[in-house]
Amino acid sequence: MAVTRRVELSGVVQGVGFRPYVYQLAHRYALKGFVRNSSVGVTLEVEGKRYVIKAFLEALQYELPPLARIDTMESIETAYAGYAGFEIVQSLTHQNKRVPVSPDMALCDNCLSEMHDPDNRRYRYPFINCTDCGPRYSIIETVPYDRPNTSMRFFTMCEACLKEYTDPFDRRYHAQPISCPECGPTLRVLDTEHKVLAEGDNAVTLAADAIIEGKIIAVKGLGGFHLMCDATNSDAVARLRERKHRPAKPFAVMFPSLDTVKQSAAITLQEEKLILSKERPIVVLKQFKIDNSKLTISKLVAPNIDRLGVFLPYTPLHHLLLEKIKRPIVATSANLSDEPIIRSSREIIEKLGNVVDLLLDHDREIVNANDDSVVQMADDQKITFRMARGFGPKSIKLPFKSKKKILAVGANQKNSIALVFDDTLILSPHIGDLNSIEAFEYFERTIETFKRFYDFEPDIIVCDKHPEYETTKWAKQLIMNNPPGEPLLLRNSPSEQLIILELQHHYAHLLAGMA
């Protein structure tokens, strides 16, 4: 006898191909019902024989899409509905937002293969993506993660893309950044006077040739611009150091392939897995000298140290560029000292017009800046120096529920923020040192972004005890001068209590190590 079971799931279950996965699984088990996104995760109802539903729910947890993660799954038997089939229904919106926002991910192997296929309509398309890869956090304004809530809302899908987007059996079903050469963002090369010099594939060729010639190019990535030059050309690297006023701090290097990495640095199996992972972080390796002059990294890239930060192309544009250059390139964040990574060509020209020779730009807006993650292996343990693209935002399911909503605002250096609500902890990507007005504005913008994601207003703000930290000053500016021992109140709402909790940062380090 058929029964109906309602299932509520939370975790990383939106924007990762989860609904079409459920749809295909339900069809495999001949179950009826529906699946939809909600503000807390995914809701589904399945109708069929009990033992079939049990098998379906077991398979649901062990055959997940590459980027999906289930944190909680609750199911109850409900009234028999008599569904005619199984379908994906429209998302529900609700004020109680709880869905973790997914990080940006590197180009997957399937998309890379399609990009290299001359018979594919996305051949050499620099914005190819699917539900297993591509931009997420960097383009989203609020949840649920639907196209109207992203910077892709400015691009109207063509008929072919719309067909893929609406087909639950297609890898691009509800891939919000879906596009193609007919309907997607456009690529262009600009000079520092905003003049367009080339577009499309010609733009890639022009930028690649310029790097080979020793020029410095600003290239738009997922979460911001990189400054790029030939890492084997000491004159080009010296010019970049001189123009950027960065005399010795090491530059990260993007390599065309893992084989070329192995010609410049010693690499263990664990380090190889990190370099090839879907997050594509910068991995700090032990550098060594080689005889192959065509691939010898300039000594000016990482002077006076035996370490090298390496990573592989992670966007389709990076792949197209490196395939033409065929040598390692410096890929360092485009920013002024103590300022966040730059997101727009206008700002590049305004602030770094005297640093770059050309810009490789496109018109898909970066909503949320996000730098590259930096990691290193210590024996068999991964040490994270900077948690950003690929890893952040990071959601952690807690073994308890917090009665209060907590915002931790971090220290003055290497800043990031954290939110706690219910049994969820959210870590923002790396924000950086708060030594400039621009960096502090980025800090405030990040707080507003995460408050918007989760309809979040804190009951408690945790800050450092250091009275001169900008984050501590920011927290204390939210409250009125209260008599000692009295509740601290929001300045604009005397009826609402806001607790400020100060914590010494060395003690915080100790707790982090224990955790």
Side-chain angles (χ1 to χ4, degrees), residues 150-211:
T150 75
S151 56
M152 285 300 296
R153 68 183 182 275
F154 301 109
F155 302 94
T156 302
M157 279 180 270
C158 66
E159 187 176 337
C161 284
L162 185 61
K163 183 179 179 182
E164 293 171 331
Y165 184 83
T166 53
D167 180 0
F169 289 99
D170 195 283
R171 198 174 84 252
R172 293 186 172 91
Y173 176 81
H174 278 227
Q176 306 308 338
I178 187 175
S179 63
C180 73
E182 297 297 319
C183 63
T186 53
L187 196 63
R188 57 184 181 263
V189 167
L190 308 173
D191 64 16
T192 53
E193 301 296 323
H194 296 274
K195 181 181 177 183
V196 178
L197 304 180
E199 294 183 320
D201 205 37
N202 292 333
V204 177
T205 301
L206 178 59
D209 289 344
I211 289 175

Side-chain angles (χ1 to χ4, degrees), residues 306-361:
D306 65 348
R307 304 287 162 168
L308 188 65
V310 313
F311 60 144
L312 295 180
Y314 58 83
T315 72
L317 179 56
H318 290 148
H319 280 277
L320 294 171
L321 200 58
L322 268 292
E323 285 162 13
K324 284 187 177 290
I325 297 170
K326 294 183 172 61
R327 67 187 73 171
I329 57 174
V330 167
T332 187
S333 301
N335 65 320
L336 290 175
S337 181
D338 292 330
E339 290 190 12
I341 190 169
I342 293 175
R343 298 178 291 165
S344 71
S345 58
R346 175 197 56 76
E347 197 175 355
I348 287 283
I349 293 170
E350 178 186 315
K351 293 185 174 182
L352 298 175
N354 61 338
V355 175
V356 303
D357 298 304
L358 296 171
L359 294 81
L360 183 53
D361 187 28

